[in-house]
């Protein structure tokens, strides 16, 4: 039972870090929180692996630790080092309102996903609402921030939410699918990094508000 | 065996483009390989229509008539666009000599793109299909940004972020389908007795929990709908399709969006068994009408041909969604015919616009005048293509639109037909007006200085091979429209896969 408490604690941490990312404006702080969120996610996988003595889950946990704890934050950090802006100063919605939205998202997740059938049937399934909340907050970051780096962070928070939800079927999902998904995500982040660097060279500050060439 | 050959041919062209630097000869060889792929896809279509679905590689790959039909569409558009790509790339090289490395990368990515689309329709596992569709986003991002100016960068950034979100939502939908399958008839089922492939999901569909399926199918429509260019997450499409090089726009607008819709159709079949037809019908009606309305309102103000064509893609995906909402076998057959017809005509129009961009140096509607006079062949193809796109006979889009609307009316959706017709009339008026401007408007007066601005480009001749291949495309579309006999069996049997 104590191991499940560790799982819940990690899931809570993952949710907390997504709120922290939404709250902070310093890009460095956002990247560190993202790394910590990745580590919290991998902790879930690893405790689950110990709990069920499932070798495959351990692999997934380890892979999450490497990718989401280190590789993604590192790739974003490289973009950050190239850029001149240190803070994301003008999100479309201010911090106070963002916090209110975040609490609404969390409530929606627990009311909607939390009430779906079979979700309360297994301690791990109960993490799905956490995942949905993380996902919505990530989407919110992606929509309301105008800096390239913040949008990258938002997208990865969104993907972290997905991996929490995929715990619903993780012990049954073929490893091929799991690794295929992670590999795709890795490629997306690498592509984003290349694009972000080009955009920084082209638009100086990487402020997407300057990109208005294609509006209707 | 045929599936393996098709995938191997596609892999071979990826390898070929990886190993050799792009030259005109390599380009021509690649086009020929793509045409061979088309022939094999016809063979596959023939085989599954007249026999049972085929599997290969321990059931990793699976082709029923629906997959075979989609393979046919993919190969047809790929062949057409690879013929034009030779012309496009030679011209790019002529303009900028230092593009060699970039062009080689372009060709590799294009072949990978085609391979990923083939994988998406030929794998049996829904999760592997998801991976293949996500892979198409990754490889096409650089293709959208090929011109690497500000607008192209903006388009590719928007494209990859919005589509990653969309496809991510589709992944959650897929997870919930699987989750429902692991709780079949309310009992927890062991993982080794079920699998994530179409056949098994269809077989177990009756025992899936309705509430979970509602949630899952909603996410699937939203998610794959994003990639299919359906509202509300459609905003990447006009940017990406207008900024990408013409051969890529043809592939993206012609087939990629339909491949995503293919995913929706497959999940619709499962949902309909689990919930009855009403749920998917309501959802597709909402998404379809919203997209149709948005496309119409934004089409009115378009100033650039490729962007106008991109909004047309949203319009046609909306029509396809509405047709799928009707859900009868005839309606789905018409939907598939529309996917083929729209893919073909849209690819032709993007390619002819690419040719116009090469010869005239612009694709802005206000600067293109009297095209029919200056370039009779190009202007003629453009004009005929536009008429086909608007759904006039004898082209196949007329038959498919007519049949879709007839089926909608037959299942009591007459009001949908009425709304569709009103919006299509608006589009018709707008497009006729734009096309008249491009094709017929007199070339006198204030236009003289813009002609002087690009004297060197005016000298360029229209490429013969491009014109011939585009005319062949139009003839095929008209031919299918007049006698759909060779396709009828395939279409009806593919529709049966969805309607059961």
């Amino acid at each position: 039972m104590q191991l499940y408490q560790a799982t819940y604690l990690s899931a809570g941490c993952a949710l907390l870090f997504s709120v922290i990312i939404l709250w902070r404006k310093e890009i460095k702080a956002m990247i560190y929180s993202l790394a910590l969120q990745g580590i919290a996610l991998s902790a879930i996988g690893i405790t689950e692996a110990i709990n069920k003595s499932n070798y495959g889950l351990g692999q997934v946990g380890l892979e999450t630790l490497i990718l989401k704890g280190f590789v993604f934050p590192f790739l974003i950090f490289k973009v950050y080092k190239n850029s001149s802006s240190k803070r994301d100063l003008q999100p479309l919605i201010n911090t106070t309102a963002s916090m209110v939205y975040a609490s609404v998202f969390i409530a929606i997740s627990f009311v909607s996903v939390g009430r779906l059938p079979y979700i309360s049937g297994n301690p791990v399934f109960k993490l799905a609402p956490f995942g949905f909340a993380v996902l919505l907050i990530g989407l919110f970051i992606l929509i309301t921030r105008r800096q390239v780096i913040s949008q990258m962070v938002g997208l990865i928070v969104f993907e972290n939410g997905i991996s929490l939800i995929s715990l619903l079927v993780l012990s049954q999902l073929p490893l091929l699918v799991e690794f295929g998904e992670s590999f795709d995500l890795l490629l997306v982040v690498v592509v984003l990094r290349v694009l972000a660097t080009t955009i920084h060279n082209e638009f100086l500050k990487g402020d997407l508000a300057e990109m208005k060439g294609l509006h209707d | 065996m045929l599936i393996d050959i098709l995938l191997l041919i596609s892999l071979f062209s990826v390898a070929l483009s990886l190993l050799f630097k792009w030259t005109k000869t390599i380009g021509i060889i690649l086009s020929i390989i793509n045409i061979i792929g088309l022939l094999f896809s016809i063979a596959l279509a023939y085989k599954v229509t007249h026999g049972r679905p085929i599997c290969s590689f321990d059931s990793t790959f699976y082709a029923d008539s629906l997959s075979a039909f989609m393979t046919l569409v993919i190969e047809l558009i790929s062949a057409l666009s690879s013929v034009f790509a030779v012309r496009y790339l030679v011209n790019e090289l002529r303009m900028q000599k230092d593009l060699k490395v970039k062009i080689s990368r372009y060709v590799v990515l294009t072949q990978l793109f085609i391979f990923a689309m083939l994988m998406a329709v030929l794998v049996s596992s829904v999760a592997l299909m998801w991976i293949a569709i996500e892979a198409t986003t990754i490889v096409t991002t650089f293709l959208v940004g090929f011109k690497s100016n500000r607008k192209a960068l903006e388009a590719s950034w928007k494209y990859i972020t919005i589509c990653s979100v969309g496809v991510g939502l589709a992944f959650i939908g897929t997870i919930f389908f699987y989750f429902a399958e692991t709780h079949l008839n309310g009992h927890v089922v062991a993982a080794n007795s079920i699998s994530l492939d179409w056949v098994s999901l269809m077989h177990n569909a009756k025992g899936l929990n309705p509430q979970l399926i509602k949630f899952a199918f909603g996410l699937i429509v939203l998610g794959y709908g994003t990639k299919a260019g359906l509202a509300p997450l459609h905003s990447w499409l006009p940017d990406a399709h207008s900024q990408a090089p013409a051969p890529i726009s043809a592939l993206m607008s012609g087939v990629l969006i339909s491949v995503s819709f293919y995913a929706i159709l497959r999940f619709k079949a499962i949902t309909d068994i689990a919930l009855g037809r009403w749920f998917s019908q309501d959802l597709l009606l909402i998404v379809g009408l919203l997209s149709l309305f948005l496309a119409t309102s934004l089409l009115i103000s378009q100033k650039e041909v490729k962007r106008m064509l991109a909004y047309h893609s949203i319009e046609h995906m909306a029509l396809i969604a509405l047709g799928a909402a009707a859900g009868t076998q005839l309606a789905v057959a018409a939907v598939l015919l529309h996917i083929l017809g729209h893919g073909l005509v849209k690819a032709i129009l993007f390619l002819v616009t690419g040719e116009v961009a090469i010869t005239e140096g612009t694709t802005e509607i206000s600067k293109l005048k009297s095209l029919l006079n200056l370039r009779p062949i190009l202007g003629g193809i453009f004009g005929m293509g536009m008429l086909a796109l608007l759904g006039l006979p004898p082209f196949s889009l007329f038959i498919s639109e007519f049949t879709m609307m007839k089926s909608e009316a037959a299942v009591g959706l007459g009001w949908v037909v009425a709304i569709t017709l009103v919006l299509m009339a608006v589009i018709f008026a707008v497009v006729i007006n734009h096309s008249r401007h491009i094709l017929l408007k007199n070339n006198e007066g204030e236009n003289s200085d813009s002609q002087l601005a690009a004297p060197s480009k005016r000298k360029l001749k229209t490429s013969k091979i491009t014109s011939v291949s585009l005319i062949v495309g139009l003839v095929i579309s008209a031919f299918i429209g007049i006698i759909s006999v060779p396709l009828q069996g395939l279409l009806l049997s593919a529709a049966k896969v969805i309607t059961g």
Side-chain angles (χ1 to χ4, degrees):
Chain A
M1 199 56 213
Q2 276 180 347
L3 270 171
Y4 279 123
Q5 282 166 357
T7 311
Y8 289 135
L9 183 66
S10 313
C13 284
L15 182 54
L16 183 66
F17 284 124
S18 58
V19 176
I20 291 176
I21 292 169
L22 185 61
W23 168 45
R24 298 301 296 266
K25 281 180 178 158
E26 285 86 6
I27 289 169
K28 216 174 186 173
M30 288 169 72
I31 300 174
Y32 284 140
S33 313
L34 187 72
L36 289 172
Q37 187 179 46
I39 294 169
L41 283 178
S42 70
I44 298 172
I46 291 166
T47 44
E48 269 306 295
I50 298 169
N51 210 2
K52 290 184 180 155
S53 347
N54 184 330
Y55 179 66
L57 270 178
Q59 275 183 328
V60 173
L62 203 63
E63 173 219 294
T64 313
L65 182 65
I66 295 168
L67 277 185
K68 294 187 167 160
F70 297 101
V71 177
F72 293 166
F74 175 73
L75 285 172
I76 297 179
F77 201 78
K78 285 197 109 176
V79 182
Y80 167 73
K81 269 175 100 182
N82 264 337
S83 76
S84 55
S85 55
K86 305 290 170 214
R87 285 160 68 87
D88 193 348
L89 280 176
Q90 287 171 312
L92 296 175
I93 292 174
N94 69 37
T95 314
T96 323
S98 298
M99 288 298 120
V100 176
Y101 276 111
S103 54
V104 172
F105 292 147
I106 295 170
I108 289 176
S109 309
F110 279 85
V111 172
S112 65
V113 179
R115 291 209 181 151
L116 284 173
Y118 312 125
I119 293 284
S120 54
N122 179 319
V124 189
F125 294 170
K126 285 184 189 158
L127 299 183
F130 284 88
F132 208 71
V134 172
L135 175 143
L136 288 177
I137 293 173
L139 198 55
F140 188 75
I141 296 172
L142 182 64
I143 293 167
T144 57
R145 300 298 175 95
R146 296 190 300 188
Q147 292 249 330
V148 174
I149 302 180
S150 321
Q151 291 202 349
M152 277 178 86
V153 172
L155 192 67
I156 295 174
V157 171
F158 174 86
E159 298 284 350
N160 286 348
I162 293 182
S163 48
L164 261 175
I165 296 174
S166 64
L167 284 171
L168 281 177
V169 292
L170 195 57
S171 46
Q172 278 127 330
L173 212 60
L175 277 185
L176 173 70
V177 171
E178 167 58 31
F179 286 121
E181 197 248 325
S182 307
F183 183 64
D184 267 358
L185 182 59
L186 176 64
L187 285 179
V188 167
V189 177
V190 170
V191 170
L192 280 174
R193 201 217 130 189
V194 173
L195 267 182
T197 314
T198 331
I199 288 173
H200 269 295
N201 296 338
E202 192 70 24
F203 294 80
L204 292 170
K205 275 187 170 169
D207 188 345
L208 291 166
E210 285 181 44
M211 295 168 90
K212 286 230 170 100
L214 293 171
H215 274 227
D216 270 317
Chain B
M1 190 62 193
L2 269 172
I3 302 179
D4 307 342
I5 294 173
L6 268 166
L7 290 172
L8 280 176
I9 289 174
S10 186
L11 260 187
F12 177 69
S13 50
V14 173
L16 195 70
S17 52
L18 260 177
L19 289 175
F20 296 95
K21 268 208 176 126
W22 190 85
T23 55
K24 200 175 169 182
T25 331
I26 295 287
I28 294 169
I29 295 174
L30 283 174
S31 320
I32 294 171
I33 297 176
N34 278 325
I35 293 169
I36 295 173
L38 173 62
L39 297 177
F40 274 101
S41 71
I42 295 172
L44 178 71
Y46 183 81
K47 196 170 172 197
V48 293
T49 318
H50 296 273
R52 297 173 57 78
I54 46 179
C55 299
S56 83
F57 269 114
D58 199 18
S59 299
T60 307
F61 300 108
Y62 169 81
D64 51 17
S65 35
L66 183 61
S67 324
F69 176 78
M70 290 307 297
T71 313
L72 186 67
V73 179
I74 295 170
E75 292 283 4
L76 181 63
I77 314 284
S78 308
L80 204 60
S81 106
S82 66
V83 172
F84 179 73
V86 179
R87 157 78 167 160
Y88 177 82
L89 291 176
V90 166
N91 185 61
E92 286 289 307
L93 262 184
R94 191 180 54 80
M95 309 256 277
Q96 271 174 292
K97 290 271 183 297
D98 55 341
L99 271 180
K100 273 242 149 111
V101 180
K102 222 175 143 189
I103 284 181
S104 297
R105 205 173 63 193
Y106 164 100
V107 179
V108 176
L109 288 173
T110 312
Q111 295 302 332
L112 271 174
F113 174 31
I114 297 170
F115 179 67
M117 286 196 290
L118 281 176
M119 285 288 280
V121 297
L122 287 173
V123 287
S124 61
S125 156
V126 285
L128 290 179
M129 180 195 71
W130 179 87
I131 290 174
I133 290 184
E134 173 78 348
T136 59
T137 315
I138 296 165
V139 291
T140 42
T141 302
F142 283 123
L143 293 172
V144 169
F146 179 71
K147 289 177 198 155
S148 45
N149 53 24
R150 282 191 167 204
K151 280 185 176 177
L153 272 177
E154 180 184 345
S156 44
W157 182 265
K158 245 176 150 175
Y159 174 58
I160 192 166
T161 46
I162 297 177
C163 284
S164 299
V165 167
V167 176
L169 294 175
F171 187 66
I172 306 176
T174 312
I175 287 173
F176 271 94
F177 263 99
Y178 195 42
F179 184 59
E181 207 188 9
T182 55
H183 290 82
L184 211 57
N185 296 315
H187 308 295
V188 180
V189 180
N192 49 16
S193 64
I194 49 167
S195 65
L196 255 177
D197 59 49
W198 296 118
V199 181
S200 140
L201 271 169
M202 288 291 272
H203 181 251
N204 293 330
K206 268 217 148 33
L208 302 177
N209 181 291
Q211 217 180 329
L212 285 177
I213 294 302
K214 272 184 205 168
F215 187 70
F217 187 65
L219 286 168
I220 292 281
V221 170
L222 191 62
Y224 285 125
T226 304
K227 223 150 174 224
L230 290 169
L233 288 167
H234 62 282
S235 62
W236 63 272
L237 189 143
D239 299 346
H241 289 194
S242 64
Q243 291 305 314
I248 301 303
S249 309
L251 277 171
M252 289 176 83
S253 228
V255 266
L256 180 56
I257 53 177
S258 324
V259 168
S260 311
F261 198 80
Y262 157 87
I264 296 180
L265 276 179
R266 286 274 190 189
F267 279 108
K268 178 187 177 312
I270 302 162
T271 309
D272 285 355
I273 300 176
L275 297 174
R277 201 174 277 165
W278 62 273
F279 184 74
S280 64
Q281 185 173 67
D282 288 354
L283 213 55
L284 287 171
L285 279 181
I286 295 170
V287 171
L289 285 174
L290 190 62
S291 312
L292 189 59
F293 186 75
L294 277 168
T296 312
S297 54
L298 288 166
L299 248 174
I300 296 172
S301 60
Q302 289 315 309
K303 297 183 176 66
E304 203 256 336
V305 181
K306 283 181 89 179
R307 230 177 142 72
M308 177 178 87
L309 292 176
Y311 276 108
H312 260 292
S313 298
I314 300 182
E315 180 219 335
H316 282 273
M317 286 319 284
L319 292 179
I320 286 171
L322 293 176
T328 57
Q329 192 188 4
L330 192 62
V332 177
V335 161
L336 295 175
L337 181 61
H338 201 77
I339 284 178
L340 173 66
H342 168 255
L344 193 58
V345 170
K346 187 51 69 66
I348 289 169
L349 279 167
F350 266 115
L351 296 179
V352 82
T353 312
E355 182 70 27
V356 167
I358 291 174
T359 56
E360 309 295 301
T362 180
T363 54
E364 271 179 53
I365 294 172
S366 60
K367 287 185 186 156
L368 286 171
K369 281 178 185 175
S370 194
L371 193 64
L372 207 54
N373 216 356
L374 291 170
R375 311 230 172 239
I377 299 176
L378 272 192
I381 299 172
F382 184 83
M384 292 307 272
M386 269 305 179
L387 292 180
L389 194 63
L390 287 172
L392 292 182
F395 299 102
S396 69
L397 288 149
F398 170 74
I399 306 287
S400 51
E401 279 174 13
F402 180 74
T403 317
M404 282 195 287
M405 285 182 202
K406 212 172 97 182
S407 325
E408 283 160 27
V411 293
L413 295 173
W415 58 277
V416 175
V417 178
I419 296 176
T420 312
L421 282 175
V422 170
L423 291 174
M424 278 176 74
V426 176
I427 292 176
F428 191 89
V430 172
V431 171
I432 287 290
N433 194 26
H434 284 331
S435 308
R436 195 178 51 103
H437 190 284
I438 295 170
L439 295 172
L440 301 172
K441 184 142 186 178
N442 236 339
N443 209 11
E444 290 158 8
E446 72 319 343
N447 194 32
S448 56
D449 45 320
S450 75
Q451 267 199 31
L452 289 174
S456 61
K457 283 170 190 159
R458 287 268 163 190
K459 282 178 197 154
L460 274 177
K461 274 200 178 133
T462 312
S463 152
K464 279 206 187 74
I465 181 87
T466 311
S467 312
V468 169
S469 59
L470 295 183
I471 291 170
V472 168
L474 272 176
V475 171
I476 295 176
S477 171
F479 184 75
I480 299 169
I482 296 166
I483 29 170
S484 55
V485 178
L487 273 174
Q488 217 163 32
L490 177 63
L491 285 171
L492 286 173
S493 117
K496 211 163 169 49
V497 174
I498 302 296
T499 55

